[in-house]
Amino acid sequence: MAEHETLSRTTGATVLTLVVVACAAGLADALRRRVRLRRRARHHAGAGPVPAPAHTPHGSPTIPRQRATGPSVETVRLTEAERDAFAVLVRRLSEGG
C-alpha cells in the first residue's frame, strides 16, 4: 500500500467496486430474463397471454404484471321510472340542495 493511501480509502474503493459489479450482474440477469420472456411470448403469440412465473429462479416472489386492458364495461338496464328518478337526483345534486 502506498504512503498516501489509507486503509479506509482502499476499503471504500473495494466496497464500491463490489457494489458496482453486483448491480451490473443483477441488471444483466434482469435483461436476460426479459429477453427470454419476450421470445416465449413471440413463440406463443397465437396462444394468448403468457403467464409470468410465480417466482424467480432464486425463489423470491415476482411483482405481478399489470393487465393490458381495463375491466369489462358493466351496463345496467334501467326502467323508465328509474331513469326519471335518476334524472331528478342529478338535478337536485347539481342545484346544490
Side-chain angles (χ1 to χ4, degrees), residues 6 8 12 23 27 29 48 62-63 66 86-87:
T6 63
S8 61
C23 288
L27 182 61
D29 183 52
T62 59
I63 298 173
Q66 291 185 347
F86 184 72

Side-chain angles (χ1 to χ4, degrees), residues 74-83:
E74 295 181 15
T75 59
V76 177
R77 299 200 185 275
L78 300 176
T79 64
E80 200 60 41
E82 290 171 328
R83 268 192 229 116

Side-chain angles (χ1 to χ4, degrees), residues 39-53:
R39 284 184 187 152
R40 190 173 1 150
R42 226 180 292 133
H43 179 70
H44 294 89
V50 176

